[in-house]
Amino acid sequence: GESVGLHLPTLSVQEGDNSIINCAYSNSASDYFIWYKQESGKGPQFIIDIRSNMDKRQGQRVTVLLNKTVKHLSLQIAATQPGDSAVYFCAEIYSDSSYKLIFGSGTRLLVRP
Amino acid sequence: GAGVSQSPRYKVAKRGQDVALRCDPISGHVSLFWYQQALGQGPEFLTYFQNEAQLDKSGLPSDRFFAERPEGSVSTLKIQRTQQEDSAVYLCASNSGADTQYFGPGTRLTVL
């Protein structure tokens, strides 16, 4: 079935370095993508989103890139901090699906001090 | 409060018991979603409400799962005759009709 997946289950980076978390999606009809951060014992927290008519969007220290040709999504975190340690999920929505989020399995980001 | 709240935060049930999980969405949010998250996995959609109407329940895994939102605000997810495979974190999310969904902290259900 349609799914959103991630290439790497765990990513370890040095504090201050940039992090890149990747995601592949399979539904070409998806028109909205979101990155969530989830810390232990908490619900997913919205980070940044992007619509299918865009290929890049920037936030504070975060950038999301969308490549529709290869159905690939990435989250870039600049100057990674210890507080960025968490599990990151990409999720997609296609508007004929009651706006439910389809999540991938997640990537754990570990920041080394 | 300013965010989505859920109660209880933790629930332990014996196999065969019924449980009820509550979600208080952000005030004024029209849409409410329930998701199930198994350990180490991403959340999976269960059901969706727009106001009091349940528009999509395609993700409910069996007829033991039932959700309601009678007045278009608070929602309850009920699981009858719980089984061990029901053990998971149950997440509630809401939005105002725009796409971004805001999540609550979840209820961790453990079925013994």
Side-chain angles (χ1 to χ4, degrees), chain B residues 76-95:
Chain B
T76 303
L77 176 67
K78 297 180 180 179
I79 309 173
Q80 298 176 324
R81 304 181 303 282
T82 52
Q83 304 294 315
Q84 286 188 326
E85 62 263 28
D86 300 335
S87 295
V89 174
Y90 291 86
L91 294 162
C92 176
S94 70
N95 68 21

Side-chain angles (χ1 to χ4, degrees), chain B residues 3 10-11 13 15-16 20-21 29-30 34 47 59 62 68 73 75 80-82 86 94-95 97-98 100 102 106 110:
Chain B
Y10 303 91
K11 177 68 178 178
R15 190 164 59 93
L21 312 179
H29 276 190
V30 169
W34 284 99
T47 188
S62 76
E68 60 184 4
S73 55
S75 177
Q80 298 176 324
R81 304 181 303 282
T82 52
D86 300 335
S94 70
N95 68 21
T100 303
Y102 296 93
T110 303

